[in-house]
Amino acid sequence: MTEYGHQAADEVWECARCGVPLEPREISVSYLDSAFPVELLRCPKCGQTLVSEELALGKMIEVEKQLEDK
């Protein structure tokens, strides 16, 4: 398991738009005037970022709840 979700070590994700392999990149995610760095897979050509369903429905919801409680 990686920070990107349940991606197998030999699994390569490709950009649907460009057809090139996605690369891990640190990006800034912001919500409710707060920003935090997170490493996600991103297309080196067009900049499209992959947010896995697991991350969006799991970790991101946890962070959202924590920020709203402040």
Side-chain angles (χ1 to χ4, degrees), residues 45-65:
K45 188 172 180 182
C46 71
Q48 192 83 328
T49 302
L50 172 67
V51 178
S52 69
E53 181 178 9
E54 179 186 358
L55 179 59
L57 298 178
K59 189 70 169 170
M60 295 299 274
I61 288 176
E62 289 177 32
V63 171
E64 180 179 336
K65 286 178 184 177

Side-chain angles (χ1 to χ4, degrees), residues 8-60:
D10 60 346
E11 187 175 17
V12 176
W13 288 85
E14 289 185 356
C15 178
R17 183 183 295 165
C18 304
V20 298
L22 301 179
E23 299 175 352
R25 296 276 189 238
E26 187 172 289
I27 64 165
S28 180
V29 176
S30 60
Y31 182 77
L32 294 177
D33 298 325
S34 296
F36 49 96
V38 63
E39 189 172 88
L40 296 172
L41 294 175
R42 188 169 193 169
C43 176
K45 188 172 180 182
C46 71
Q48 192 83 328
T49 302
L50 172 67
V51 178
S52 69
E53 181 178 9
E54 179 186 358
L55 179 59
L57 298 178
K59 189 70 169 170
M60 295 299 274

